[in-house]
Amino acid sequence: MRTGLRLVLPSLILGGLAACATPPPPAPEPQAAAPEPAPTQVGQASYYGPQFNGRQTASGARFDPNSDTAAHRTLPLGTVAEVKNIETGRTARVTIRDRGPYVRGRVVDLSPRTAERLGMKQQGVAPVEVRPVAVPPGKEAEAASALASTR
């Protein structure tokens, strides 16, 4: 019986020690960096007059007053941006398909339909904030520097 105890006792001791040992704490999960807020630009918005209907834009598309087309001096063509009328709080998404505006202090020209949705068609000009939300692939750095250089 002593021989059996000699064989079993070390196993029991090791098993007991193993049960008492605490497992190492799990490795902390890597924290995702908070996404950087998209750069924004603040300035005045205006909208295209009727003389531009059907004219070719910088992207090659014909201007449609009922579209979501917008003009910006430096954002890459094809960029989708959110435009917020600071006075009304209304927002609209536009696609940059043209270049302009070329009036000091103005940062974006909008289609008449978009101007109506933002509640600025009556006065013709409104203070806005422009924030890109989707940039064509490979143009992200260009979009960031476009807004940084116009502040």
Side-chain angles (χ1 to χ4, degrees):
M1 193 147 152
R2 267 179 111 59
T3 309
L5 190 56
R6 277 191 205 157
L7 294 175
V8 174
L9 190 58
S11 297
L12 288 174
I13 292 172
L14 287 176
L17 288 176
C20 292
T22 58
E29 297 213 13
Q31 295 291 323
E36 281 190 39
T40 60
Q41 182 180 33
V42 176
Q44 295 288 314
S46 52
Y47 67 93
Y48 287 86
Q51 69 272 23
F52 293 99
N53 295 356
R55 284 196 185 170
Q56 192 171 13
T57 63
S59 69
R62 297 272 172 205
F63 177 69
D64 175 2
N66 294 312
S67 69
D68 68 347
T69 295
H72 192 277
R73 276 183 243 140
T74 56
L75 280 174
L77 296 176
T79 297
V80 175
E82 185 174 85
V83 179
K84 178 181 179 181
N85 181 331
I86 296 170
E87 291 177 341
T88 65
R90 294 182 188 179
T91 61
R93 288 209 172 176
V94 297
T95 302
I96 307 300
R97 294 189 180 98
D98 206 2
R99 292 293 173 217
Y102 298 107
V103 176
R104 182 177 214 128
R106 295 196 189 163
V107 296
V108 67
D109 268 338
L110 306 168
S111 69
R113 176 179 172 226
T114 303
E116 186 73 44
R117 287 183 19 222
L118 291 176
M120 60 168 275
K121 197 161 179 198
Q122 289 278 357
Q123 66 267 34
V125 200
V128 295
E129 180 178 279
V130 178
R131 181 178 58 87
V133 293
V135 179
K139 301 285 186 172
E140 295 85 357
E142 184 181 332
S145 68
L147 292 184
S149 65
T150 58
R151 287 186 183 169

